[in-house]
Amino acid sequence: MATFLYKLGRLCFRRRWWAVLLWIALVGGLGAGAATSSGAVPDDFALPGTESQEAFDLMAEEFPEANAEAVEGTVVFQAPEGATLTSGEYFDAVQQVLTELGAGDEVLTVVDPFETGAVSQDGTIAYTTVDYAVETGDVSTEMHDQLVAAMESGRDAGLTVEASGEVAMGPMHMGSAAEAIGLVVAAIVLVITFGSLIAAGVPVLTALIGVAVGMAGIAALSTTLGLSETTGILAMMLGLAVGIDYALFIVSRYRAELVEGHSHEEAAGRATGTAGSAVVFAGLTVIIALAGLAVVNVPLLTKMGLAAAANVAVAVFVALTLVPAVLGIVGKRIFGRRMRKQNPETGVPTSLNKEGKENGGTRWARAVLRRPALALVVSVLGLGVLAVPVASMEMGLPDNGTQPEDSTLRQSYDLLSEGFGPGFNGPLMLTLDGGDGVDLESAATTVSGELGALDEIVLTAPPNFNEDGSMATLLAFPATGPSDSETADLVHHLRDDLAPALESQTGAAVLVTGMTAANIDFSEVMNSALVPYLSLVVGLAFILLMLVFRSVLVPLKAALGFLLSVLAALGSVVAVFQWGWAAELIGVEETGPIMSMMPIFMVGVVFGLAMDYEVFLVTRMREAYVHGEDPKQAVVTGFNLNARVVTAAAIIMISVFASFAITMDEAMIKMIGFGLGVAILLDAFVVRMTLVPALMGLLGDRAWWLPKWLDRVLPNVDVEGESLERYLESNGKGRGSLKKEEREPAPVA
């Protein structure tokens, strides 16, 4: 593979303008497809195999007139202190708001709370339901503005008016501010790393083109494949982060090959053949981890994982083709002006380090290797302390009760809890499916009576029957909130104990569903899928890393190091988002349960990204070891050549994730951004930069042990470039064949 990539890199360098034009044409073509894609696609929260989804499917079949995807909003009114909503002026103010709501775009119905009894017992709080003729994802800015204007008219009359629902939230916008912050930090880090604005711009520019291709592709296929806007969030974060990192490694190796004395075209080929091989296998680990989300069997997660995996694949192709082409266009400006002055004729400096000084990576590796056992113990203990909060992690899905206190979503949630009880924000829905000879009305009366007798349920609504009377639904309002553990216990009691007894008594099949029950099911699906998913991802990646490193212990070390970093990162998430430690620093106003999908996300994404640094760092050690260096010197050489670049890559990736955590208001995105940022921080600087050299120093030659029978069975993928070196030797281009004084002048773009 290294030889093929070497030839590909040289080809793209020679045909640089054609390569650039092809990528630009691809962006334009996919952009045109995205522009013609019709309408937004709603998020698919289906949960195959769960009781809540079974009930949803049954309702869709038996109540065809109801559209489960239609947008619905709730507007809550509260009278001033000492007054009630039934008094003249406040009653009129509510009616005026209802009239304005009914005149809004796409509004189907607005329910009068005084006619339906949706008023609290003391008459101070009431709510109305607004039904819209659009589906989730089609909410416009105008609809949001009209809702806000209607609410303001009620506020002007002295009422407290708050709202919840998708229209109250307004259209969701992707994190343009987050991207900008991440790019600014990335540019600063790259300028410091390379000492050249041009060299710093190459990874950023090529990564942006890759993200543009990936996101345009997602938008163009959104309608065909059912890809919602949420699907692209993870793809955008990862596409930008790995796109910069992969290009950074190619550019860094290219500069090193130029300093070795090779021509610009030869350096581009060698960089693509060596660092490019590492990029391919690093990308494969990320793709495996993301595509593996399909085993969870949740359509939304599957689509998010596959979309992000596609973006990572695009980033790999960009690094292998577009980056060499851009390097050809940049020419000698890949080095800063000060470095070019070392050799004005060619523009290539004699060294990338300050003369007579070891770089920071070399010094750090030597320091760790002097006390490897101490470095190992301190690192493991530190990560272990950070992982302690995981033991008390509570999982669930965020609801309006975790929104910022000053948001209308949170205030409407609190008003409904105050007026009607905390369970009003998360009612349970029971479906009754009757068969031949079943008196469904009598069965519904029996079920309602049994529910009303439970202390955990404060109210049941009258049953709703379909047209032929073969199915009924009824709402039950728990005494506890949607995220409370008592509500989950109630759902299990209804399903495991009450429903079977009622079915045998009435003959009607009883299922428990609703968004609260669905959220509970979702959390349980995530928990049950974690171990199989972890086994699949780690197992496949272990085999892949064994192919790359020709070793058993190096992949094992990589996997164990990952587990330490991901547990420590999850512990940090619990400390901030559940316990509230330093939460205000990143704008977390309300603590609550950890998002159910967070452990799965952390395992998948962090494992893939962690293996990036493992591959980039250890392949250079392997390369040095293969070429005759002793194990400890190979570690030093690997750090000498790649530690600075790995550090820069990690800082860039951390900045991209942190920018999403800081700037985004959506709780899910904020938590994902924070968790991934912390995980990369710990994995890059504690595990890969400290644990790895310590263990490699302690293991010595044993680190590269591979049973002979396994060595014969495993295909040789040659990431360190042994076959490439043989190919170059046979063509008179091996090591030492070109002296530095024979360098060619830099090409003119």
Side-chain angles (χ1 to χ4, degrees):
M1 184 180 69
T3 304
F4 168 76
L5 293 178
Y6 164 80
K7 295 177 181 178
L8 177 64
R10 294 194 61 162
L11 175 64
C12 293
F13 185 93
R14 288 196 306 272
R15 302 289 185 263
R16 41 191 172 271
W17 288 111
W18 280 109
V20 170
L21 288 173
L22 284 173
W23 277 102
I24 293 175
L26 186 58
V27 172
L30 291 173
T36 58
S37 180
S38 57
V41 176
D43 287 320
D44 182 7
F45 287 107
L47 296 169
T50 63
E51 181 169 323
S52 57
Q53 187 61 48
E54 181 184 352
F56 283 139
D57 294 340
L58 189 61
M59 285 190 291
E61 180 181 343
E62 298 295 337
F63 291 88
E65 70 280 2
N67 182 3
E69 300 294 343
V71 170
E72 182 181 274
T74 301
V75 179
V76 189
F77 307 90
Q78 184 181 39
E81 188 174 353
T84 65
L85 294 173
T86 55
S87 61
E89 59 177 316
Y90 298 123
F91 178 87
D92 293 341
V94 171
Q95 295 301 318
Q96 176 61 32
V97 174
L98 297 179
T99 300
E100 293 186 26
L101 289 172
D105 293 348
E106 307 293 347
V107 174
L108 289 175
T109 60
V110 179
V111 178
D112 188 330
F114 301 105
E115 294 180 1
T116 60
V119 183
S120 63
Q121 289 185 350
D122 59 6
T124 60
I125 297 175
Y127 71 92
T128 182
T129 301
V130 185
D131 291 316
Y132 293 87
V134 296
E135 294 187 351
T136 303
D138 290 330
V139 173
S140 66
T141 302
E142 290 75 18
M143 294 167 61
H144 172 74
D145 293 342
Q146 290 165 357
L147 172 63
V148 172
M151 293 165 60
E152 287 298 332
S153 70
R155 291 167 178 168
D156 292 340
L159 297 174
T160 297
V161 187
E162 305 297 343
S164 62
E166 190 170 343
V167 178
M169 293 174 62
M172 188 177 74
H173 300 288
M174 300 296 276
S176 56
E179 295 172 46
I181 294 173
L183 287 174
V184 168
V185 175
I188 294 172
V189 172
L190 289 170
V191 169
I192 295 173
T193 302
F194 289 136
S196 165
L197 285 172
I198 299 295
V202 171
V204 173
L205 175 63
T206 55
L208 285 175
I209 292 175
V211 169
V213 168
M215 298 310 294
I218 291 173
L221 297 172
S222 60
T223 304
T224 304
L225 300 180
L227 304 177
S228 67
E229 194 170 13
T230 304
T231 304
I233 293 173
L234 185 63
M236 180 185 294
M237 281 196 290
L238 288 180
L240 185 60
V242 302
I244 293 175
D245 279 6
Y246 294 166
L248 168 61
F249 282 103
I250 300 287
V251 172
S252 176
R253 187 62 181 253
Y254 171 74
R255 283 160 47 104
E257 295 294 345
L258 286 176
V259 171
E260 286 294 315
H262 300 290
S263 70
H264 286 75
E265 182 180 329
E266 181 68 15
R270 286 174 175 263
T272 310
T274 52
S277 296
V279 164
V280 169
F281 281 94
L284 277 175
T285 59
V286 182
I287 291 169
I288 286 173
L290 293 170
L293 287 170
V295 304
V296 182
N297 197 28
V298 174
L300 177 63
L301 284 183
T302 299
K303 292 175 183 178
M304 289 182 74
L306 293 178
N311 261 26
V312 172
V314 170
V316 171
F317 285 116
V318 165
L320 299 178
T321 58
L322 183 59
V323 171
V326 174
L327 291 175
I329 295 172
V330 166
K332 66 181 180 180
R333 288 164 294 182
I334 197 66
F335 295 106
R337 186 175 302 173
R338 183 178 300 176
M339 298 185 76
R340 294 201 302 268
K341 286 181 179 178
Q342 295 181 28
N343 194 338
E345 181 181 352
T346 64
V348 177
T350 56
S351 173
L352 293 174
N353 298 328
K354 292 182 180 178
E355 192 144 346
K357 291 186 178 180
E358 292 182 334
N359 63 23
T362 301
R363 294 195 299 272
W364 175 256
R366 293 192 191 281
V368 172
L369 289 172
R370 278 196 295 270
R371 298 286 189 275
L374 178 62
L376 179 65
V377 171
V378 170
S379 299
V380 171
L381 287 178
L383 293 172
V385 169
L386 289 175
V388 168
V390 173
S392 62
M393 180 169 61
E394 299 174 4
M395 290 194 290
L397 286 178
D399 55 27
N400 289 341
T402 61
Q403 295 288 337
E405 288 186 355
D406 59 351
S407 69
T408 190
L409 301 175
R410 170 61 184 275
Q411 291 180 15
S412 66
Y413 181 97
D414 291 341
L415 285 176
L416 289 174
S417 296
E418 179 184 343
F420 305 95
F424 195 84
N425 286 291
L428 303 176
M429 178 176 285
L430 283 79
T431 64
L432 284 71
D433 187 17
D436 294 337
V438 175
D439 183 351
L440 201 59
E441 290 191 12
S442 174
T445 301
T446 301
V447 171
S448 183
E450 291 291 336
L451 292 174
L454 296 175
D455 293 337
E456 298 87 350
I457 293 178
V458 296
L459 178 68
T460 57
N464 179 34
F465 295 89
N466 65 348
E467 288 187 2
D468 61 7
S470 62
M471 182 177 178
T473 62
L474 61 87
L475 292 178
F477 296 89
T480 51
S483 300
D484 294 339
S485 59
E486 293 85 354
T487 305
D489 293 339
L490 172 62
V491 170
H492 289 302
H493 171 62
L494 294 178
R495 287 175 171 174
D496 299 339
D497 303 323
L498 192 62
L502 288 171
E503 182 174 356
S504 62
Q505 180 180 350
T506 65
V510 180
L511 298 176
V512 181
T513 186
M515 287 310 300
T516 299
N519 290 345
I520 293 169
D521 287 342
F522 184 83
S523 297
E524 293 179 353
V525 168
M526 293 297 102
N527 290 339
S528 61
L530 182 58
V531 172
Y533 175 67
L534 181 63
S535 302
L536 173 69
V537 169
V538 174
L540 289 176
F542 182 88
I543 295 172
L544 189 64
L545 292 175
M546 199 156 53
L547 292 175
V548 172
F549 297 126
R550 315 300 296 177
S551 165
V552 173
L553 295 180
V554 170
L556 180 62
K557 163 192 62 64
L560 293 176
F562 150 74
L563 290 174
L564 283 173
S565 60
V566 79
L567 285 173
L570 274 174
S572 302
V573 170
V574 172
V576 173
F577 288 86
Q578 185 176 312
W579 294 356
W581 291 5
E584 65 280 356
L585 296 180
I586 61 170
V588 178
E589 298 185 22
E590 290 295 323
T591 59
I594 303 305
M595 185 174 58
S596 303
M597 66 180 73
M598 197 65 191
I600 288 279
F601 262 151
M602 295 285 284
V603 167
V605 179
V606 175
F607 185 82
L609 298 179
M611 294 308 102
D612 276 5
Y613 301 122
E614 181 77 14
V615 170
F616 288 129
L617 201 57
V618 181
T619 48
R620 292 307 294 266
M621 298 179 194
R622 170 74 179 171
E623 188 176 341
Y625 181 78
V626 167
H627 289 107
E629 294 186 6
D630 68 76
K632 288 190 176 181
Q633 183 56 44
V635 171
V636 174
T637 300
F639 268 72
N640 174 55
L641 296 173
N642 264 9
R644 181 181 179 89
V645 183
V646 168
T647 300
I651 293 173
I652 290 168
M653 197 170 286
I654 292 166
S655 68
V656 171
F657 292 141
S659 62
F660 278 87
I662 294 170
T663 63
M664 298 296 284
D665 294 327
E666 176 62 37
M668 178 180 76
I669 302 174
K670 186 179 286 288
M671 190 180 294
I672 290 175
F674 175 82
L676 294 181
V678 172
I680 297 303
L681 173 69
L682 296 175
D683 196 88
F685 295 107
V686 179
V687 175
R688 308 304 153 193
M689 303 289 283
T690 306
L691 279 178
V692 166
L695 277 171
M696 298 294 281
L698 290 171
L699 291 173
D701 287 309
R702 290 167 295 181
W704 307 111
W705 172 76
L706 184 69
K708 291 183 179 179
W709 66 268
L710 189 57
D711 189 34
R712 289 192 299 269
V713 172
L714 293 177
N716 189 354
V717 296
D718 186 30
V719 174
E720 64 274 3
E722 286 181 276
S723 63
L724 174 59
E725 193 63 34
R726 290 193 296 269
Y727 171 81
L728 294 173
E729 287 283 356
S730 66
N731 286 274
K733 298 178 181 179
R735 292 180 175 229
S737 63
L738 182 64
K739 297 182 173 135
K740 292 188 179 183
E741 58 268 19
E742 297 173 345
R743 293 191 186 98
E744 66 171 8
V748 178

